[in-house]
Amino acid sequence: MTARILVVDDVPANVRLLEAKLTLDYYDVLTAADGPTALRIAKAELPDIVLLDVMMPGMDGFEVSRRLKADPVTRHIPVILVTALDGREDRIQGLEAGADDFLTKPIDDVVLMARVRSMIRLKAAMDELREREESGRRLGLAEGVGRLRSSGARVLVVDDNPQQANRLLAELGGEHRVVHESDPNAALMTCRGPVDLLIVNAAADSFDGLRLAAQVRSQEASRNLAILAIVDPGERARMLKALELGVNDILSRPVDQQELAARVRTQVKRKRYADFLREKLDFSLEMAVTDPLTGLHNRRYMTSQLQALLQRANHGGEPVAALLLDIDHFKGVNDGFGHDAGDEVLREFGVRLATNVRAVDLPCRLGGEEFVVLMPGIRLEDAGRIAERIRMNVEAAPFRILGGQELLPITVSIGVAASVAPHETPESLLKRADDGVYEAKSRGRNVVVARAA
């Protein structure tokens, strides 16, 4: 596998050493001795990888990485920071500056080549994306890529260590929709659905985390999923095998919470960037399928997914249930406290909704104060129980508004419907759920009503 690699270091001996190692493995090597020169070469030559020293006079590696990632021409180029610094603050600063990976001096040759090969695979996958971004920029559409968000992701944590898993869920739950699974077979099934990131404990006692990663990569439905593996720092062979199998990133135990959050954001944004061009969207995937206020899927995405789910259900597949949720007296929130407070309620409602449904369910914002949850493989009575759990969670604790200065009690009315094969349509299913909401409102609100066909 050949590629062009830009080596950036202000120490000539370091440059010559890296150049010699990479050339022996048949890579073409470009060099730069300072940040401004590196930026100029990167933009002109578009290398496949940048190996970037951190400690340089004038413009350090963090700033060079930040500028590379800010430029639409070079943002797709993987950046590996090479540093003598091994502190967590430096890793976090590098990740926030856009770096894709790290190498610590003195450089381990085997680790160097493994990291380089991993980044080359990433670059190959991104080449098509860059071409599409160029097309979008010529049409004046490049701004959409810059709006891709790194929050609101569906993250699956697969770990048989309950203490470690709970820490991961606590750290990531405020920014993402996180679910935990300790059974690798169940996790493999979940990965076939709309998951953005898989975090797997590669040092698990009860299952082989790397085998799970390999299985995820082999499935058509999940092979583009971002994977973050947690490894013990002394398990060098396991780390190398993880990279060989196509794991996107490695995190050492014990897990540093800030570094975890930074690496997850990096992987989520990269995954969404890849999806954006892979699916040939002219605008940001985030704008196309996600409600920007709540981070849930939007009406457009809900419509397409419901059509596909019902088509399978009508041809002998699993049934589909739908919840239609309407926040009670929401107009009073906007009128009494202002639209900013209303937005705070909607955002918090989105979080509560997403954290009280199953991993395979699709919570969506329909518009205004109306939400929909699509629930594949579930029948009416079970969907009703989940709807009741959501209703109770919303009612249980008041919503903080006006920056936390006010506590506002909120309730929700929910209609539930389930598909009836073989002639169910999206319109008929949602109409029954909407009728359930109407009945819930007429019964005094804060009620769940299930409507059979």
Side-chain angles (χ1 to χ4, degrees):
M1 181 185 296
T2 187
R4 289 199 305 167
I5 301 176
L6 173 59
V7 176
V8 187
D9 198 315
D10 64 313
V11 179
N14 292 342
V15 173
R16 287 195 298 270
L17 182 60
L18 277 174
E19 185 176 11
K21 291 177 178 180
L22 294 166
T23 301
L24 282 174
D25 264 40
Y26 305 102
Y27 294 109
D28 295 327
V29 180
L30 306 168
T31 64
D34 57 68
T37 303
L39 293 172
R40 187 168 61 252
I41 293 175
K43 192 164 186 174
E45 301 294 336
L46 297 178
D48 296 292
I49 299 175
V50 178
L51 285 176
L52 178 61
D53 187 45
V54 170
M55 302 302 292
M56 295 187 296
M59 186 186 298
D60 64 17
F62 297 133
E63 181 60 25
V64 175
S65 178
R66 194 173 292 112
R67 295 193 186 192
L68 286 170
K69 296 300 183 179
D71 189 333
V73 176
T74 57
R75 65 160 58 113
H76 64 284
I77 302 174
V79 174
I80 301 178
L81 288 180
V82 182
T83 175
L85 306 173
D86 198 24
R88 61 180 290 276
E89 293 82 4
D90 302 299
R91 292 196 303 273
I92 294 168
Q93 185 177 353
L95 289 165
E96 291 175 346
D100 297 277
D101 216 330
F102 295 88
L103 287 171
T104 303
K105 297 177 182 178
I107 295 175
D108 182 317
D109 290 356
V110 177
V111 174
L112 166 65
M113 295 308 169
R115 295 286 193 185
V116 166
R117 284 192 292 271
S118 175
M119 288 297 106
I120 289 172
R121 286 195 297 267
L122 170 66
K123 174 60 165 51
M126 290 295 174
D127 276 343
E128 178 189 353
L129 313 186
R130 182 173 63 89
E131 183 179 345
R132 294 185 187 281
E133 187 181 5
E134 290 286 349
S135 300
R137 188 160 52 250
R138 286 194 294 270
L139 294 172
L141 303 177
E143 185 183 354
V145 175
R147 290 197 296 265
L148 286 171
R149 296 170 57 215
S150 57
S151 60
R154 294 174 66 91
V155 179
L156 173 63
V157 174
V158 186
D159 197 339
D160 63 352
N161 181 332
Q163 290 182 329
Q164 179 171 269
N166 288 336
R167 287 196 299 270
L168 296 177
L169 267 64
E171 173 60 31
L172 299 175
E175 189 173 358
H176 306 284
R177 304 196 295 278
V178 190
V179 294
H180 171 231
E181 182 58 70
S182 58
D183 179 359
N185 294 320
L188 197 60
M189 293 295 294
T190 302
C191 286
R192 295 174 183 171
V195 176
D196 296 302
L197 175 66
L198 168 66
I199 301 178
V200 58
N201 181 5
D205 293 325
S206 62
F207 63 89
D208 187 339
L210 295 189
R211 180 175 294 278
L212 174 62
Q215 291 172 323
V216 168
R217 282 285 178 259
S218 68
Q219 288 188 156
E220 177 67 28
S222 61
R223 66 178 42 154
N224 295 315
L225 179 63
I227 304 176
L228 173 62
I230 299 175
V231 301
D232 286 324
E235 293 189 319
R236 179 173 176 271
R238 192 184 294 268
M239 181 196 73
L240 295 173
K241 190 64 176 178
L243 293 171
E244 180 184 329
L245 290 171
V247 166
N248 299 83
D249 201 0
I250 303 291
L251 188 61
S252 295
R253 298 172 63 184
V255 174
D256 179 271
Q257 302 303 309
Q258 279 189 273
E259 183 176 354
L260 167 70
R263 288 187 183 273
V264 166
R265 283 193 292 269
T266 296
Q267 292 304 319
V268 167
K269 192 163 187 177
R270 183 188 295 162
K271 167 68 163 54
R272 287 175 170 173
Y273 177 50
D275 288 345
F276 168 76
L277 291 168
R278 186 176 295 111
E279 297 178 13
K280 302 181 180 179
L281 298 176
D282 289 329
F283 295 97
S284 163
L285 177 64
E286 184 72 14
M287 299 300 291
V289 303
T290 304
D291 172 56
L293 179 63
T294 64
L296 302 179
H297 294 299
N298 62 14
R299 182 177 193 138
R300 181 181 187 180
Y301 185 82
M302 183 275 296
T303 301
S304 66
Q305 292 299 305
L306 180 56
Q307 182 70 50
L309 289 170
L310 285 177
Q311 186 172 5
R312 288 195 290 271
N314 287 336
H315 289 83
E318 294 181 324
V320 182
L323 311 184
L324 187 60
L325 307 94
D326 190 295
I327 300 175
D328 297 326
H329 302 297
F330 184 73
K331 185 176 184 298
V333 177
N334 282 333
D335 291 345
F337 298 94
H339 287 278
D340 288 346
D343 288 349
E344 290 180 282
V345 169
L346 292 172
R347 280 192 290 268
E348 174 62 20
F349 184 85
V351 170
R352 297 195 192 189
L353 178 61
T355 53
N356 279 279
V357 297
R358 304 171 304 161
V360 297
D361 296 335
L362 299 177
C364 312
R365 184 183 176 201
L366 196 62
E369 67 271 28
E370 288 189 317
F371 294 77
V372 169
V373 180
L374 304 183
M375 311 180 77
I378 194 171
R379 301 193 179 279
L380 186 68
E381 55 271 22
D382 297 318
R385 281 192 283 270
I386 294 175
E388 179 63 21
R389 183 173 70 202
I390 295 168
R391 185 199 66 76
M392 292 174 63
N393 181 272
V394 171
E395 181 187 32
F399 285 49
R400 293 185 178 275
I401 61 171
L402 303 178
Q405 298 177 20
E406 295 278 349
L407 294 176
L408 188 64
I410 294 292
T411 60
V412 61
S413 298
I414 307 176
V416 186
S419 64
V420 179
H423 303 300
E424 190 73 78
T425 67
E427 292 77 17
S428 62
L429 183 68
L430 293 177
K431 177 65 167 59
R432 290 202 303 279
D434 187 55
D435 289 344
V437 172
Y438 184 81
E439 182 179 338
K441 297 286 188 182
S442 67
R443 287 164 52 178
R445 297 179 169 81
N446 193 25
V447 174
V448 174
V449 175
R451 281 295 184 98

